[in-house]
Amino acid sequence: MRNSDDLMQEWAALVPMWIKEMREGKNSVRKGLLDSVMLDVCGKVEGLSILDSGCGEGRFCRMLVERGAKYVLGLDLCEEMIEAATKLKSECDDYRLKNVQDLGFIENEIFDIVVSYLNQYDLQYFETNNREVFRLLKSGGKFIVANLHPIRSATGKWYRDASGKKLHVILDNYFDEGERHC
Ligand SMILES: C[S@@+](CC[C@H](N)C(=O)[O-])C[C@H]1O[C@@H](n2cnc3c(N)ncnc32)[C@H](O)[C@@H]1O
C-alpha cells in the first residue's frame, strides 16, 4: 500500500487542477449527484459543530458555513489543500493539516456531525478513522460517509469486438480486496 507521503505527493501535484475544477463547479459527480445527497443527510446545520474529515480545498466546509453551521473544522493531510482552504475561510470555519487516522488532538464528543466526503478510500486504516470519529461525536451525532462503490474499482477495461469497437466495460473481480490506483 502507498504510504501517506507518496499519496500526499500525488495529491499535491493534482492541487492546481483540482482547485480549478472544484471552484468552477465542474465536478459533475459532486455538483450533479453527491452534494445534494450529502446536504440532505446533514439536514439542518444551523448552530452545529461539524468536522470534515479529508476536506480537500474546503468546498463542502464552505457550503456548511453558508447554511448556518456554527463551526466547521476541515482536516486534510495535503498542505496545498489546507493552504487553499484557509485563504477562503470565514470566522466559522478552520482548517488544519492533520492525518484523519490520528485524531487524538480532538476532545471527545464535541461534534454534532462528521462528514467524510470521498476521503475514506484514500485511507489505509479507515477503521481507525471510524473509531476516532465515533469518539468525537456527541451522543446522537451523525457520521456521513460518501465512498467509492467497488464497481468503480473493478477492472474498468473495455471489452471490444474484433474491430476494436467498445461493447461494454468489464466488471470482473468486483469483490477482490486490495489496493487500487486510478
Ligand atoms: C477525493 S479528495 C476529497 C476532498 C473533499 N472531501 C471533496 O470532496 O472535495 C480526498 C482528500 O483526502 C485527503 N486525504 C487523503 N488521505 C488523508 C489522510 N490520511 N488524512 C487527511 N486527509 C487525507 C487528500 O489530501 C484529499 O484532499
Side-chain angles (χ1 to χ4, degrees):
M1 178 91 185
R2 272 174 310 180
N3 63 36
S4 295
D5 289 346
D6 292 344
L7 182 62
M8 285 311 119
Q9 278 184 13
E10 287 178 29
W11 272 115
L14 283 175
V15 161
M17 178 280 291
W18 181 265
I19 291 179
K20 190 170 182 326
E21 184 176 315
M22 291 297 141
R23 295 193 178 169
E24 289 178 0
K26 288 191 175 148
N27 186 280
S28 54
V29 171
R30 285 171 174 73
K31 203 165 182 232
L33 175 67
L34 284 177
D35 280 353
S36 59
V37 176
M38 292 295 280
L39 289 168
D40 273 2
V41 183
C42 284
K44 279 184 171 246
V45 297
E46 285 102 337
L48 300 187
S49 292
I50 303 176
L51 174 70
D52 186 342
S53 171
C55 63
E57 54 70 58
R59 197 185 62 100
F60 198 66
C61 300
R62 293 189 294 278
M63 291 170 74
L64 294 168
V65 169
E66 276 165 23
R67 286 161 178 77
K70 180 173 77 181
Y71 174 64
V72 182
L73 175 62
L75 304 178
D76 203 284
L77 196 52
C78 175
E79 208 170 337
E80 292 79 357
M81 293 283 197
I82 291 296
E83 273 172 19
T86 304
K87 281 189 186 148
L88 295 188
K89 88 178 217 65
S90 69
E91 285 177 0
C92 299
D93 48 340
D94 206 0
Y95 299 90
R96 292 177 73 178
L97 185 65
K98 293 285 180 189
N99 188 335
V100 299
Q101 294 161 126
D102 178 8
L103 299 175
F105 65 100
I106 303 180
E107 290 167 50
N108 294 351
E109 299 185 26
I110 61 166
F111 289 106
D112 300 288
I113 298 177
V114 178
V115 172
S116 170
Y117 195 147
L118 298 182
N119 165 243
Q120 281 209 338
Y121 63 76
D122 264 354
L123 304 182
Q124 186 171 4
Y125 306 108
F126 70 90
E127 304 92 336
T128 315
N129 179 246
N130 286 338
R131 263 197 305 278
E132 281 287 270
V133 164
F134 281 101
R135 181 181 65 74
L136 309 180
L137 277 172
K138 294 178 187 171
S139 169
K142 295 184 205 171
F143 184 24
I144 302 170
V145 180
N147 216 353
L148 282 189
H149 192 277
I151 209 165
R152 296 275 293 136
S153 54
T155 73
K157 291 189 180 132
W158 284 100
Y159 182 79
R160 297 168 189 265
D161 67 14
S163 71
K165 184 177 161 212
K166 291 174 181 172
L167 297 180
H168 57 258
V169 172
I170 304 166
L171 293 178
D172 289 347
N173 308 317
Y174 183 95
F175 286 114
D176 284 1
E177 292 191 7
E179 194 169 349
R180 298 285 189 279
H181 292 273
C182 299

